[in-house]
Amino acid sequence: MADILPFRALRYNLAKVAAGDVMTQPYDKITPAMQDKYYAVSPYNLVQVILGKSRPEDDDRQNLYSRAAELLSKWQSEGILQPDAEPSLYVYSQTFNVPGDLSGAKAERRGFIALGRVDDYDKKVVYRHEQTLSKPKADRLNLLQTTRAHCELLFMVYSDPADEVAKVLHQDGAPTIELRDEYGVLHRVWKVSDPQTVAAAKAKMADKKLIIADGHHRYETALNYRNEMRAKNKSNDPEAPYERVMISFVNMDTPGLVILPTHRVVFGLDGFNIYTKAMQVMKYFDIEDLGSLTDIQEAVTKLREAGKDRTALLAVTAQNAFLLKAKRDQQSPSLIGLSEQQRALDVVQLHELILEEIIGMSEEDIRAQKHLKYIRDAQEAVDEVRKGNAQVAFLMNPARMEQVRDIAFAGEVMPQKSTDFYPKMLSGLTIYSVDGEAKGNASGQ
């Protein structure tokens, strides 16, 4: 099933630059303030490649994409970026505190970076769980066409209850790369080049099915690029470098795999009255009035307990908080046609029953984030309401990995912003160039 290969990654020369000065969060998690910070910290920061700044004089020939390609070439000629001498896999560890966990306990998520084959979904090797949008894919395709390099990691999960792949790749020595990011996450990478170890890991992965955790737009960009190159070259050579993409693989059965909720904040609705809406919500949910919310963590704990056996949501207004617990016998035309696993998702019940049916938002409104914000932090979501910037915040429990798995393997998708895998994969640890060293990369020579 999963066809992985070692590769000669293009990597920052840490004798010339500090890892913490040049690596970034994924492009779609970089705010304008973060972009400015990355630009300021080092002239070699990867942000200039993955999320460059437009200029007034830009045209079809000179623009942020062409500058990205020029920088990659320049940094290689200066020795800032160098290809590894031998094909390798890269064990990747992230040690972190789980947001919202007040115990202070550390968690670790371990995986490995390798090349994976770009397979169409109908091959039943790679599965998605989210819809994609055309605009981000067009942007990423422009960048890939110009740079001919995969600079950011896709994040895929596979099932390995005995953790056999990790045992084969286990590393204890000094890491090849080590840094702590702006969220306090410790990132460590070990280069693994031993041919026997690499072959053993490849064999262990051969029967695995893969689910995209993060990077749906980048994966479909890789698919589009592969198709373009096949047409251009009039060839379906399975060993062509564009048939591969750079992936970080993580075992979904390990405790370090953390999914956070993404809360919904509703704003700007004319004539919105929470008490009128509450009466309508009672058709589908039992409602407990929690009064004025003074302790967010206590309320989130209560939400977590309520959600152990059914959908539970926390609706917070400027004056009150309401715990919503799904009734066992929900009957709504909005849920007709949805599978059992879809109806069991908290986010589906929130979107279909409350945001659309009761509040009156359209599916397009939600997709376009009209009157709707997505916020990870519960306190920040509540503050939006308390400050008068929003009318109601809906706090949610996170989706469970088994729900994501079942949805993906059933060929279905979840609503946008249904999952927030934490922490994010850092960009700049490894780069896969489709040119230059790519022929050796893709063949494993």
Side-chain angles (χ1 to χ4, degrees):
M1 290 275 186
D3 180 14
I4 70 161
L5 281 181
F7 68 117
R8 296 193 299 155
L10 194 61
R11 293 195 295 112
Y12 276 103
N13 180 354
L14 299 184
K16 291 191 173 186
V17 296
D21 290 345
V22 294
M23 299 180 190
T24 77
Q25 296 296 317
Y27 84 99
D28 54 341
K29 298 299 179 183
I30 298 174
T31 66
M34 291 168 68
Q35 184 187 35
D36 289 342
K37 183 199 75 172
Y38 288 144
Y39 260 82
V41 75
S42 170
Y44 303 111
N45 190 282
L46 191 69
V47 75
Q48 296 183 75
V49 174
I50 63 172
L51 193 65
K53 293 183 177 182
S54 298
R55 299 174 183 173
E57 67 272 18
D58 283 352
D59 56 27
D60 289 342
R61 295 174 61 85
Q62 290 293 323
N63 49 56
L64 58 89
Y65 305 114
S66 65
R67 286 190 292 276
E70 290 165 3
L71 284 172
L72 280 180
S73 178
K74 178 173 180 285
W75 294 350
Q76 290 179 73
S77 66
E78 293 176 352
I80 300 299
L81 289 172
Q82 296 178 324
D84 280 330
E86 58 279 315
S88 305
L89 304 180
Y90 302 85
V91 174
Y92 183 15
S93 164
Q94 294 167 286
T95 305
F96 56 99
N97 293 105
V98 180
D101 184 348
L102 302 181
S103 70
K106 293 284 185 182
E108 183 186 20
R109 185 175 71 195
R110 278 211 180 203
F112 68 95
I113 301 167
L115 298 186
R117 186 169 298 282
V118 181
D119 280 310
D120 294 297
Y121 293 132
D122 61 10
K123 296 289 187 182
K124 305 296 184 184
V125 176
V126 175
Y127 294 78
R128 61 179 180 164
H129 76 273
E130 284 186 358
Q131 293 279 16
T132 56
L133 302 174
S134 58
K135 186 175 180 180
K137 286 192 289 188
D139 166 57
R140 292 300 94 181
L141 184 59
N142 284 335
L143 183 63
L144 180 55
Q145 288 169 330
T146 308
T147 62
R148 295 177 60 81
H150 295 279
C151 297
E152 298 195 273
L153 291 168
L154 292 172
F155 176 9
M156 295 194 185
V157 296
Y158 61 93
S159 181
D160 185 8
D163 215 14
E164 293 181 351
V165 179
K167 291 173 183 174
V168 167
L169 292 173
H170 183 72
Q171 300 292 308
D172 279 327
T176 307
I177 306 170
E178 183 172 5
L179 72 151
R180 195 175 296 275
D181 70 17
E182 55 263 73
Y183 300 108
V185 178
L186 177 64
H187 302 261
R188 292 177 294 164
V189 174
W190 292 264
K191 185 166 81 74
V192 180
S193 306
D194 174 64
Q196 289 185 323
T197 303
V198 170
K202 179 178 172 64
K204 294 287 186 186
M205 287 294 294
D207 65 344
K208 307 299 187 229
K209 295 181 179 181
L210 307 172
I211 297 174
I212 302 170
D214 266 338
H216 288 77
H217 289 94
R218 279 166 278 161
Y219 185 74
E220 293 186 12
T221 293
L223 276 169
N224 291 336
Y225 183 69
R226 181 208 66 181
N227 293 341
E228 280 189 2
M229 295 302 292
R230 282 180 175 180
K232 178 180 178 181
N233 294 318
K234 298 182 173 60
S235 170
N236 283 4
D237 177 7
E239 301 308 320
Y242 50 77
E243 298 282 341
R244 301 282 176 174
V245 68
M246 186 173 66
I247 302 168
S248 184
F249 299 92
V250 174
N251 181 8
M252 73 171 75
D253 301 312
T254 54
L257 191 69
V258 173
I259 305 177
L260 300 179
T262 301
H263 310 298
R264 272 63 171 162
V265 175
V266 175
F267 66 94
L269 294 175
D270 293 334
F272 181 85
N273 184 295
I274 187 62
Y275 296 103
T276 301
K277 299 302 180 185
M279 294 298 294
Q280 297 172 276
V281 167
M282 287 175 66
K283 290 188 296 183
Y284 306 123
F285 294 86
D286 296 320
I287 301 179
E288 180 182 351
D289 190 342
L290 302 182
S292 179
L293 193 59
T294 57
D295 188 332
I296 291 294
Q297 289 305 320
E298 181 181 342
V300 168
T301 299
K302 193 164 188 175
L303 172 63
R304 188 179 303 121
E305 288 298 315
K308 285 183 175 179
D309 65 343
R310 54 177 157 164
T311 290
L313 306 166
L314 196 64
V316 183
T317 68
Q319 292 80 32
N320 291 71
F322 304 90
L323 182 64
L324 313 180
K325 292 182 285 188
K327 292 182 175 179
R328 305 289 186 187
D329 57 346
Q330 283 179 341
Q331 299 292 329
S332 169
S334 302
L335 301 179
I336 292 175
L338 297 179
S339 67
E340 183 177 346
Q341 56 259 35
Q342 286 275 1
R343 292 195 301 270
L345 292 172
D346 296 4
V347 65
V348 166
Q349 293 201 26
L350 172 60
H351 281 214
E352 298 287 343
L353 300 179
I354 298 179
L355 296 184
E356 293 187 38
E357 182 177 331
I358 294 174
I359 292 180
M361 299 174 70
S362 68
E363 187 176 339
E364 180 57 34
D365 288 341
I366 293 172
R367 188 180 297 112
Q369 299 182 39
K370 183 180 180 181
H371 304 302
L372 190 66
K373 291 181 184 178
Y374 299 97
I375 298 178
R376 174 192 287 172
D377 184 74
Q379 184 65 62
E380 183 182 346
V382 172
D383 287 346
E384 284 288 295
V385 177
R386 296 287 163 80
K387 292 175 182 177
N389 298 329
Q391 290 151 312
V392 59
F394 291 100
L395 305 188
M396 306 181 63
N397 286 313
R400 301 186 303 277
M401 186 61 235
E402 56 266 29
Q403 291 179 305
V404 178
R405 177 199 63 204
D406 293 347
I407 289 287
F409 286 164
E412 300 176 348
V413 293
M414 304 168 78
Q416 65 189 101
K417 304 291 186 181
S418 294
T419 58
D420 182 3
F421 287 86
Y422 184 87
K424 299 305 177 188
M425 300 287 181
L426 214 57
S427 296
L429 297 169
T430 56
I431 294 171
Y432 172 50
S433 173
V434 180
D435 282 335
E437 299 296 326
K439 202 68 178 178
N441 289 346
S443 64
Q445 301 297 317

